[in-house]
Amino acid sequence: MLILALDSASLSGSVSLCEDDRLIASFTVNTGNTHSETLLPMVEQVMKVSGRDVSEVDLFACTVGPGSFTGVRIGAATIKGLAFGQGKPCIGVSTPAALAEACPMRDGIICPVMNARRGQVYNALFSYDGEKPVRLCADRALPITELAARLNEPEYAVKSVYLVGDGAKMTFDAMTGAGLLPADRLICLPEHLRWPDGYCVAQAARRLYEAGVRTTDAELAPVYLRMSQAERTKLEKEGM
């Protein structure tokens, strides 16, 4: 199965073409340019260098959040358009789930964290069963202090915690600096593994597809978890 997958939920952008679990081509940028400028050119380049045509793609996939509201919308709109144009299925992947794909650590807790601003992180927890990440909780937005408290609960307290995502360094510094978790329990993954990656999105989507998930372009929708800044500002002005 040929899968075209992309991520634009954070500052970086990534597009990958895979045949089942084999990576054919991948393109990632982290230049500060807006995803509206980079995603489609990356799609075109990935197809061009691989010698494939978009009409050959069997499944389209993208991260649908949580993450940057604008980035998530752009990624979802791009995949919806491609899937609609080809009459093919598309699957939305949770951003924390895609991040967990890059962290196959059997001896601890995989802890994706994305900077959600306002003192919060988008987060979920996963373990690894030797083949794939296993979700331990739903995606959520919560303060770093609350995340630390949950990682100190009995079922997690004796395990190493692997931080991945654009909020990994920030979370590490906040937790260790305030003594919320000891530094020898927290492992901040290397920079090149912290960002969402198109290949990981493709593999998460492939497993969903094999489990029977089918999504049309009309059904694919972003998942924000909380209101946008504009919505919060409007409510504040209205005194609600």
Side-chain angles (χ1 to χ4, degrees):
M1 179 169 62
L2 198 64
I3 309 166
L4 180 66
L6 62 84
D7 167 76
S8 58
S10 62
L11 292 176
S12 68
S14 180
V15 176
S16 295
L17 184 69
C18 303
E19 189 159 22
D20 296 323
D21 62 350
R22 182 174 71 91
L23 177 64
I24 297 174
S26 187
F27 202 134
T28 298
V29 297
N30 191 5
T31 61
N33 292 335
T34 61
H35 297 305
S36 60
E37 298 173 332
T38 58
L39 272 186
L40 279 176
M42 285 197 291
V43 169
E44 292 170 356
Q45 285 299 312
V46 162
M47 301 309 297
K48 180 178 179 180
V49 299
S50 65
R52 304 294 186 98
D53 187 84
V54 71
S55 63
E56 299 175 57
V57 174
D58 301 301
L59 176 66
F60 296 90
C62 66
T63 46
V64 289
S68 160
F69 282 42
T70 301
V72 167
R73 281 197 298 269
I74 291 170
T78 300
I79 285 299
K80 284 163 72 73
L82 290 169
F84 174 77
Q86 300 301 319
K88 299 289 180 65
C90 54
I91 288 179
V93 173
S94 151
T95 312
L99 285 165
E101 289 280 343
C103 190
M105 307 300 185
R106 301 191 190 201
D107 63 336
I109 301 299
I110 305 167
C111 183
V113 278
M114 300 184 69
N115 189 354
R117 314 298 177 187
R118 301 171 70 92
Q120 293 188 327
V121 289
Y122 296 122
N123 163 258
L125 300 178
F126 299 81
S127 61
Y128 188 75
D129 69 1
E131 295 182 359
K132 63 185 182 302
V134 178
R135 181 179 287 277
L136 302 177
C137 68
D139 293 350
R140 56 204 179 175
L142 72 176
I144 291 176
T145 52
E146 185 176 340
L147 173 58
R150 298 191 183 190
L151 290 170
N152 280 320
E153 291 174 353
E155 64 264 43
Y156 305 135
V158 297
K159 296 182 178 181
S160 297
V161 177
Y162 294 91
L163 298 172
V164 60
D166 65 11
K169 183 65 165 58
M170 174 190 74
T171 301
F172 179 90
D173 290 343
M175 288 186 177
T176 57
L180 300 174
L181 263 79
D184 59 359
R185 268 194 71 205
L186 286 175
I187 297 94
C188 198
L189 261 66
E191 171 74 17
H192 69 285
L193 295 177
R194 293 182 202 163
W195 300 91
D197 176 79
Y199 175 79
C200 293
V201 178
Q203 297 316 302
R206 177 177 63 85
R207 278 196 287 274
L208 289 170
Y209 186 88
E210 290 173 350
V213 174
R214 300 290 186 274
T215 310
T216 67
D217 59 276
E219 294 167 332
L220 185 71
V223 177
Y224 298 125
L225 288 189
R226 68 182 195 188
M227 292 185 294
S228 68
Q229 180 63 50
E231 290 171 316
R232 290 195 299 268
T233 301
K234 180 176 183 293
L235 289 177
E236 289 168 1
K237 288 181 178 179
E238 293 173 349
M240 299 178 66

